[in-house]
Structure formats: C-alpha cells, structure tokens
Amino acid sequence: MSISEYLKNRKLKRFKKKYKVGLCLSGGGTRGFAHLGAFKAFEEYGITFDAIAGASAGSLFGALYATNMKYDQMYKLSKNVKNTDFRKAKLGFLPSKMDNLQELIKKVIPVKKIEDLAIPFYAVAVDLKTGKEIHFNKGDIASIVSGSCAIPGVFYPVKYNNMTLIDGGVSNNIPADVLKMNGCDYVITIDCNSTRGGGTNSESFFTQFITSIGIMSVNNSKRGIECSDIVICPDMKKFASLKIVGKEEMIEAGYQATVEMMPQIKKLFLGEFKKK
C-alpha cells in the first residue's frame, strides 16, 4: 500500500488541528480548474481550512470553495462551463467585458456578499486608480471576484465602489501573505501556474502579451511562495491559460499533486510540521 493510500484510509479528519491554517489559491487563468482537483483531495482526506485567499482565477475558485460546497456539486457545475462564460469578445485581440463571468458567479455561488460565505475569504485585486492592492473580505462577490480576474488587455476593468479593479495577480499572484497578515499560523498554497515566465516562440501578439504578463508576475509570486509553508504545484505546462480544453485533465493534475503532498500536510495538521 502506498503512503497516499494509507493516509487516505486513515482519514485525516480524525486528527486535531492545533493551528490556524489558511489556503492560498494562485492565479493562472483557466488553469485554475486544477484547484478543483485539490478540493477533491482535501475532502477525501478530511482537510478543512480556517481562511482562504485567492487572486485572479484563485479568487473565483476560492469563493466557490468558501461556500463549503461538496466537490461533487462543484464538479457538476464545472461540466457546464464554456469559454464564453469567461471571455465574451469574439475577436481574440479585443478585450472582453466581464458580464458573462459576473453572471456565472451569481449562478454558481449561493450568496451575494463575501462576508456571508461559510469560510472567511479574501479576494485580491488591484485598484487601477490608485495602483494599490486591495484585499476584499466583504462586499459584492460578483463584482469583486470578476475584478480580481480582469487580466489587463484581455478583459476590461471592473468598476466597483469608485474603484477600477484589475487582476490581483498584477500585484500579488500568490497571496499567502494576506493570510499570514490575518492570523493564519500556516498557509498551504496551490500554485496552478508554476511555469509562469517560461517565454514563448509564438509570433502571435496576443500570446506574446499574455506571456509578458506571466514574466512580470514571477517576482510577486516569489513573495507568495516564501510566505507559504506547503506549496502544491500541479504540472500545467501543456494547458493554455485562456482555454478550458483539457479541463478534466487539469482537475486530475490538481488532485494527484495534492495527494502526493499529503504526508507533509498530515504533519502540519498533527502539529509535527517544522515552521519556517
């Protein structure tokens, strides 16, 4: 029997948590479907969290997870998701409005306000007017999460409460520090875009633009990795960040990567983990 099978059979829900543990979810566009696979593993092993933070795609999947929805229900919702739910523009080189994504959020998340979620949740976005990084733990979920997902040049910014919100990943793609600042002793991070900054041979302007954003996010991602105690990195190299082709494989990659880290996660929840 493998270690993962042994741990799964023991059901970690029988162990007592000794610390406040947060879950950080990275950006990564549609690669964020890997987060669903991680949620599946957490549910199977009885892992729960005291707080969640997400940027960009991580804010979308984080808000969903913060409802305490079971994996099977989340998976069923994901099966009906289409590319047009994320990106409305028909021409690839034009930015898209966030109307479709806002409607999707309203449809799949049963509450309207962040503060009404079952688990404390922080969505990270950037206010284009001030250039400041904003950590939302209250307010309208559809507006805030869609703003957190608004990749510059790909989506139009989202107007909200006299702010002009753009992708939180511009400033903080792995917001583990947000959880540490808000009382978490430990942070487990799912990084579904660990290949950011890898470059491209494509002559497509759009591909070059997206790659440039990935290169720019490398440094702010380092800060998040440093603030994380355990980092789970599904292999997402072959998946595009703006297409949902391979959705099932993305979910499976997130699941397998999380199961592989369960020995370390077990130590953390047993109080045997050595803090950085």
Side-chain angles (χ1 to χ4, degrees):
M1 179 183 292
S2 68
I3 292 176
S4 62
E5 288 173 332
Y6 170 71
L7 291 174
K8 189 172 179 180
N9 289 336
R10 284 187 68 180
K11 292 290 183 184
L12 286 180
K13 63 185 176 184
R14 291 189 290 178
F15 297 126
K16 292 183 179 179
K17 258 191 320 186
K18 297 186 178 182
Y19 304 99
K20 186 174 180 180
V21 183
L23 174 65
C24 171
L25 302 175
S26 81
T30 49
R31 289 172 175 168
F33 278 101
H35 293 316
L36 287 183
F39 301 163
K40 178 183 178 183
F42 293 143
E43 186 175 314
E44 288 183 355
Y45 285 87
I47 299 295
T48 59
F49 295 92
D50 300 288
I52 302 164
S56 197
S59 71
L60 174 60
F61 288 95
L64 186 62
Y65 190 56
T67 66
N68 258 347
M69 193 181 295
K70 296 296 184 183
Y71 168 75
D72 283 348
Q73 190 176 352
M74 288 189 280
Y75 176 72
K76 286 177 183 177
L77 290 171
S78 75
K79 292 194 74 164
N80 297 319
V81 172
K82 308 178 293 295
N83 275 324
T84 52
D85 289 322
F86 295 99
R87 186 167 160 76
K88 191 175 182 180
K90 293 182 179 180
L91 296 177
F93 56 86
L94 291 178
S96 176
K97 292 183 178 181
M98 302 299 281
D99 301 10
N100 287 18
L101 181 58
Q102 290 197 28
E103 288 305 311
L104 176 66
I105 293 166
K106 291 175 184 177
K107 187 186 303 182
V108 302
I109 296 179
V111 299
K112 294 182 179 180
K113 302 289 185 182
I114 289 177
E115 58 266 37
D116 293 331
L117 290 166
I119 304 170
F121 173 65
Y122 301 88
V124 178
V126 172
D127 179 13
L128 199 56
K129 287 185 177 180
T130 63
K132 291 182 179 179
E133 179 180 316
I134 313 293
H135 307 156
F136 291 98
N137 65 348
K138 60 178 64 176
D140 182 71
I141 291 177
S143 298
I144 291 167
V145 169
S146 60
S148 176
C149 293
I151 303 169
V154 179
F155 299 103
Y156 287 108
V158 174
K159 302 287 187 180
Y160 178 70
N161 282 1
N162 202 35
M163 291 177 282
T164 301
L165 302 181
I166 61 170
D167 194 326
V170 169
S171 173
N172 192 352
N173 199 46
I174 300 178
D177 59 326
V178 176
L179 292 166
K180 289 288 178 77
M181 287 188 290
N182 284 281
C184 287
D185 301 291
Y186 293 101
V187 174
I188 295 174
T189 288
I190 313 295
D191 184 6
C192 63
N193 196 26
S194 59
T195 58
R196 65 181 66 81
T200 181
N201 291 320
S202 175
E203 295 295 323
S204 162
F205 169 79
F206 193 68
T207 301
Q208 290 177 348
F209 181 77
I210 295 299
T211 301
S212 298
I213 291 176
I215 293 169
M216 287 188 290
S217 73
V218 169
N219 285 332
N220 72 50
S221 296
K222 286 179 181 177
R223 180 180 69 191
I225 294 296
E226 290 170 358
C227 288
S228 303
D229 297 285
I230 292 176
V231 181
I232 300 167
C233 294
D235 184 359
M236 308 299 286
K237 292 191 295 290
K238 69 177 183 179
F239 304 109
S241 60
L242 291 175
K243 295 181 180 179
I244 61 173
V245 176
K247 182 170 52 180
E248 299 283 343
E249 292 178 79
M250 295 184 210
I251 294 172
E252 182 62 20
Y255 175 78
Q256 292 298 336
T258 305
V259 168
E260 287 173 11
M261 291 298 292
M262 275 298 164
Q264 287 296 313
I265 295 171
K266 171 199 168 185
K267 288 182 180 179
L268 191 155
F269 278 83
L270 284 172
E272 299 171 356
F273 188 83
K274 290 185 179 180
K275 194 173 178 68
K276 289 182 180 181

